[in-house]
């Protein structure tokens, strides 16, 4: 229960801060980071490093891939 509270509170505070700064925000990114942070605070063995690497890779690759796909689809759509 304490880990869940820490992750949820961290996510809420992060979202509040980012929103107040007028920056784009992602609740998925915030909660994922919070969960990883809680795991790391307990020890590296609590975090599945392979899964974390896959998540980070998707964040890095997913944005440009989606951008290119949407540009292509938009260019192929009749106006």
């Amino acid at each position: 229960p304490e880990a869940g509270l820490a992750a949820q509170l961290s996510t809420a505070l992060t979202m509040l801060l980012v929103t107040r700064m007028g920056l784009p925000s992602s609740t998925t990114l915030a909660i994922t980071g919070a969960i990883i942070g809680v795991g790391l605070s307990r020890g590296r063995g609590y975090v599945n490093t392979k899964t974390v690497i896959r998540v980070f890779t998707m964040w890095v690759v997913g944005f440009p891939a989606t951008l290119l796909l949407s540009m292509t689809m938009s260019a192929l759509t009749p106006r």
Side-chain angles (χ1 to χ4, degrees):
E2 310 84 41
L5 175 63
Q8 292 292 337
L9 186 57
S10 298
T11 300
L13 291 174
T14 299
M15 296 307 297
L16 178 64
L17 180 64
V18 169
T19 302
R20 294 238 179 205
M21 293 172 67
L23 299 171
S25 59
S26 166
T27 54
T28 302
L29 184 117
I31 192 66
T32 303
I35 291 168
I36 293 169
V38 168
L40 288 174
S41 75
R42 292 179 170 199
R44 193 168 174 179
Y46 284 88
V47 176
N48 184 330
T49 308
K50 187 175 181 179
T51 300
V52 171
I53 291 169
R54 290 177 65 197
V55 168
F56 284 149
T57 301
M58 184 55 204
W59 284 340
V60 171
V61 173
F63 182 79
T66 304
L67 183 143
L68 292 172
L69 180 60
S70 65
M71 283 176 49
T72 302
M73 297 303 292
S74 179
L76 296 173
T77 303
R79 297 174 202 217

